[in-house]
Amino acid sequence: MRTGRPIPPMTITADERETLERWTRRASTAQALAQRARLILSGAAGKTNTRVAQELRVTKQTVGKWRTRFVTKRLDGLLDDPRPGAPRTVTDADVEAVLTRTLETKPPDATHWSTRAMAQACGLSRNTIHRIWRAFALQPHRTETFKLSKDPLFIEKVRDIVGLYLHPPDRALVLCVDEKSQIQALDRTQPLLPMRPGQVERRSHDYVRHGTTSLFAALDAKSGTIIGQLHRRHRAIEFRKFLDAIDAAVPADLAVHLILDNYGTHKTPRIHRWLARRPRFHLHFTPTSASWLNLVERWFARLTDKQIKRGAHGSTRTLEAAILAYIALTNTAPTPFVWTKTADEILASVARFCHRISGTGH
């Protein structure tokens, strides 16, 4: 004769069994829900609560709890109950309305939405708008620039240059070459006020120009070292002098692969004659409007940020001294820029971008 609390019969439909088995297999399912699904499937197989508790290493009270909830509420009974707290005041419709306004409309008095303007238009608080935008990674106040290359050989050039970065040839040096021209030696009209507690550095809004200089630089893609020269003018003759410096700096038994942009000084007859006499030099041109493929541009950005942008130079000599000192410091402890994306990944990204632009009607 059986004793104890009677166990309610466990029957499940085919759809419920399919859902329970899917919960046990899916990697994204919460482990607690997956365990409850296994518990119900074991009970439906005719196993007792004691047997199920032993197999799943839980208590009999846990088995009885979820078995009872499944019998009374079916699959919904296995889900977690709503957590205690204040009821939700912002509905899904409110969130959708904010996203639709943000992405598809503009305020009547501005080019983009602000949290205040959107809050007033939707009848929500600024903090709510901010949380919604942050959840969906929307930043209406920010904008970035872009330009797609129209080079007919864009694909071939991307594969060529990325191939040099990811799989450089043996017994060869890959150099990223470019010029940073017309660097201005700027000095403020009044002395700087240095930073102090509670006050940032201050400088006058106007400045005095003291001439310009041009930097020719070659970045070793593997080691991160820099070969640099400064010239007051930016012509083919200066570029040829820089090529002479590269030729002297690179060991004679190494081939030299130069990654260049399409600037006119790189393709003059003078340069062609110089290259014809030095067959170890191989030129690889970036696509038009695609200077981002040249790693030396990243080093130029670092130079600008650390030495030029906030510097005060009373003459071109002091500016050139600061640039040369930064080059020497870079070569003391060089750190190469590591290229990670393959050519296929870059081309796929560009294709998605073109698809987005074509969808806007341009």
Side-chain angles (χ1 to χ4, degrees), residues 34-46:
Q35 186 182 59
R36 296 166 198 167
R38 286 190 288 267
L39 186 151
I40 298 302
L41 289 172
S42 298

Side-chain angles (χ1 to χ4, degrees), residues 16 31 44 52 63 103 108 121 133 142 184 209 291 329 347 361:
E16 289 174 337
Q31 290 305 304
V52 174
V63 177
L103 297 173
W133 282 354
R142 295 189 59 190
Q184 298 185 80
R209 294 184 178 90
S291 60
L329 187 63
L347 295 175

Side-chain angles (χ1 to χ4, degrees), residues 180-187 207-215 230-233 308 311-320 323:
K180 188 173 180 63
S181 60
Q182 300 296 307
I183 308 174
Q184 298 185 80
L186 302 179
D187 195 10
Y207 49 82
V208 179
R209 294 184 178 90
H210 295 284
T212 62
T213 189
S214 294
L215 170 63
L230 290 163
H231 295 281
R232 298 297 173 88
R233 302 187 68 177
I308 300 175
H313 306 288
S315 65
T316 53
R317 288 187 178 181
T318 58
L319 172 62
E320 291 173 345
I323 294 174

Side-chain angles (χ1 to χ4, degrees), residues 107-340:
D109 61 341
T111 59
H112 59 277
W113 287 102
S114 65
T115 53
R116 288 182 176 87
M118 182 61 70
Q120 185 177 6
C122 296
L124 301 172
S125 68
R126 288 177 52 204
N127 289 336
T128 300
I129 300 300
H130 177 70
R131 287 195 297 269
I132 294 174
W133 282 354
R134 184 173 59 183
F136 289 88
L138 294 174
Q139 298 176 320
H141 64 287
R142 295 189 59 190
T143 182
E144 294 181 350
T145 59
F146 78 96
K147 185 175 182 180
L148 292 176
S149 174
K150 297 181 181 180
D151 195 318
L153 298 178
F154 177 78
I155 296 177
E156 292 79 0
K157 291 181 178 180
V158 168
R159 294 192 182 280
D160 177 36
I161 293 175
V162 174
L164 287 175
Y165 291 151
L166 299 181
H167 306 289
D170 295 332
R171 300 199 59 78
L173 195 65
V174 178
L175 297 177
C176 304
V177 176
D178 201 1
E179 302 89 5
K180 188 173 180 63
S181 60
Q182 300 296 307
I183 308 174
Q184 298 185 80
L186 302 179
D187 195 10
R188 300 294 162 174
T189 58
Q190 297 177 4
L192 299 177
L193 296 179
M195 176 181 61
R196 63 181 183 181
Q199 180 177 295
V200 299
E201 179 185 271
R202 294 183 178 183
R203 59 180 61 205
S204 61
H205 69 280
D206 52 349
Y207 49 82
V208 179
R209 294 184 178 90
H210 295 284
T212 62
T213 189
S214 294
L215 170 63
F216 293 74
L219 169 70
D220 186 340
K222 183 177 181 179
S223 67
T225 56
I226 294 290
I227 301 173
Q229 272 191 354
L230 290 163
H231 295 281
R232 298 297 173 88
R233 302 187 68 177
H234 183 201
R235 301 170 301 174
I237 187 171
E238 283 79 23
F239 182 62
R240 195 208 63 186
K241 292 179 180 178
F242 181 56
L243 290 178
D244 289 334
I246 295 176
D247 192 24
V250 178
D253 59 336
L254 294 180
V256 183
H257 293 264
L258 302 182
I259 298 175
L260 303 160
D261 62 17
N262 294 274
Y263 193 66
T265 57
H266 302 158
K267 302 178 180 181
T268 62
R270 182 191 298 269
I271 302 302
H272 285 305
R273 290 193 297 269
W274 188 94
L275 292 171
R277 294 192 298 269
R278 295 164 179 81
R280 70 170 181 148
F281 277 76
H282 307 274
L283 271 57
H284 306 262
F285 291 101
T286 61
T288 56
S289 304
S291 60
W292 46 269
L293 270 174
N294 198 332
L295 281 178
V296 76
E297 296 291 347
R298 185 64 192 88
W299 184 82
F300 281 158
R302 183 177 290 181
L303 169 68
T304 301
D305 184 59
K306 293 188 174 183
Q307 285 292 332
I308 300 175
K309 187 176 181 180
R310 291 178 57 176
H313 306 288
S315 65
T316 53
R317 288 187 178 181
T318 58
L319 172 62
E320 291 173 345
I323 294 174
L324 293 176
Y326 186 75
I327 292 175
L329 187 63
T330 299
N331 292 337
T332 301
T335 303
F337 298 103
V338 180
W339 192 276
T340 57

